[in-house]
Amino acid sequence: MNANQVTVLSVFFALMGGLLISTDSPLLILIGAVFFHIFAILDMSDGEVARYRGEGGVQGHYLDWFMHFITPTALVMGLFVASHEKLDSNLMIIIGLLAIVIPILSKSIQNAGWTVISWTYMRDKKNQNIDVEKMQKIISSHPRKRESSTPKWLRRLKSILLMPFEDRWSSLLILIFAILGGLFHIFNIEFIDYRLIWLIYMGIIGPMYIIYNVHVMIHSNALLDGYLRIADEKRKVSFPEDDFLG
């Protein structure tokens, strides 16, 4: 099995996970939650397979990144299908549909950023208009706000509130809720409708989350800093930090 096949297999588990968490069976929901973790394992494995087989390249990176649009969307689609009968008004349906597109919009912020950076760099290179020193001065004159200046409790609260929007935490959350739901079911105790709550939360908070991140991207030096990662040949590249803007 080559690296691209591993990538495709990983997204198969994610899609199946989304389908299973939409069911009414606590066991199937738990299996679906586990499938998202199998996706994560395979997602970390495809790069190793590519390096082992000497197959690494742009095409593999593209396929891997594209699958990261599908996976979180599959999870929220599962929540929507599980909750659609309880969305008893047009407003609730709109909120549910907004929740589905939030993962795509969230990924698009980074994706659009790197696309614009690449386009700008190619045009500047063609016009011989790359001034690395000038850009460095601009960044240094507008230092990034120190994270440590924010109270620790507020940083923790922010991290907790944003968990459903981050892939690594959303897969963990769905597993925790699936386990709790299964245990409550065994003891014949009614559990909260976490899938509906999660969906509504993403549909309401999600648009504000997207707007805030776009605002930060535009009004910070994130795009300029990303440009320098490509244009400044003396800069030392560090992964995975340099994969992300901001």
Side-chain angles (χ1 to χ4, degrees):
M1 182 176 287
N2 61 38
N4 287 347
Q5 289 171 334
V6 174
T7 303
V8 173
L9 179 62
S10 71
V11 84
F12 168 79
F13 276 100
L15 291 172
M16 287 301 299
L19 178 63
L20 292 176
I21 67 170
S22 70
T23 65
D24 294 326
S25 168
L27 177 59
L28 292 180
I29 293 173
L30 179 58
I31 294 173
V34 171
F35 275 10
F36 282 104
H37 288 266
I38 295 177
F39 160 80
I41 294 171
L42 292 174
D43 181 52
M44 291 185 290
S45 302
D46 55 4
E48 297 300 325
V49 172
R51 282 184 283 272
Y52 177 77
R53 294 171 60 100
E55 298 173 337
V58 175
Q59 294 88 347
H61 284 300
Y62 173 81
L63 182 62
D64 181 73
W65 181 243
F66 184 74
M67 295 307 174
H68 279 274
F69 279 78
I70 297 175
T71 302
T73 307
L75 193 155
V76 184
M77 277 291 294
L79 301 178
F80 180 85
V81 173
S83 308
H84 75 280
E85 292 183 353
K86 299 172 184 175
L87 302 175
D88 53 3
S89 68
N90 290 336
L91 177 60
M92 293 294 285
I93 292 174
I94 292 172
I95 289 174
L97 292 174
L98 279 173
I100 293 174
V101 301
I102 291 301
I104 300 174
L105 293 175
S106 180
K107 288 285 189 297
S108 297
I109 294 173
Q110 289 283 326
N111 191 59
W114 279 117
T115 300
V116 170
I117 287 170
S118 300
W119 286 345
T120 305
Y121 174 73
M122 286 188 292
R123 284 166 174 73
D124 288 349
K125 187 175 182 179
K126 178 182 178 181
N127 298 326
Q128 297 182 342
N129 191 33
I130 300 175
D131 191 339
V132 172
E133 292 185 2
K134 179 181 179 181
M135 294 179 184
Q136 289 174 335
K137 289 179 180 178
I138 293 174
I139 291 179
S140 61
S141 65
H142 297 84
R144 184 183 302 177
K145 181 182 177 181
R146 293 176 60 87
E147 185 70 17
S148 58
S149 63
T150 305
K152 191 174 182 179
W153 69 269
L154 191 57
R155 297 201 305 270
R156 287 182 176 178
L157 178 61
K158 178 183 175 183
S159 298
I160 293 172
L161 293 175
L162 296 182
M163 278 183 177
F165 301 100
E166 299 182 6
D167 295 354
R168 56 176 179 166
W169 292 117
S170 60
S171 58
L172 177 61
L173 285 175
I174 194 64
L175 181 61
I176 292 173
F177 282 128
I179 292 173
L180 291 174
L183 291 174
F184 274 63
H185 178 76
I186 290 173
F187 293 103
N188 200 26
I189 303 173
E190 187 175 354
F191 191 51
I192 60 171
D193 192 349
Y194 60 90
R195 293 178 295 181
L196 178 62
I197 295 172
W198 189 334
L199 184 74
I200 293 174
Y201 179 79
M202 288 197 68
I204 294 175
I205 304 299
M208 293 183 282
Y209 170 76
I210 296 299
I211 292 171
Y212 171 77
N213 281 314
V214 171
H215 174 83
V216 170
M217 190 69 72
I218 293 174
H219 293 90
S220 69
N221 290 321
L223 294 171
L224 191 57
D225 182 66
Y227 183 99
L228 280 175
R229 296 176 202 174
I230 298 175
D232 188 358
E233 298 179 356
K234 298 179 181 179
R235 178 176 178 144
K236 185 178 179 181
V237 179
S238 176
F239 292 116
E241 292 83 4
D242 281 346
D243 276 332
F244 303 98
L245 298 170

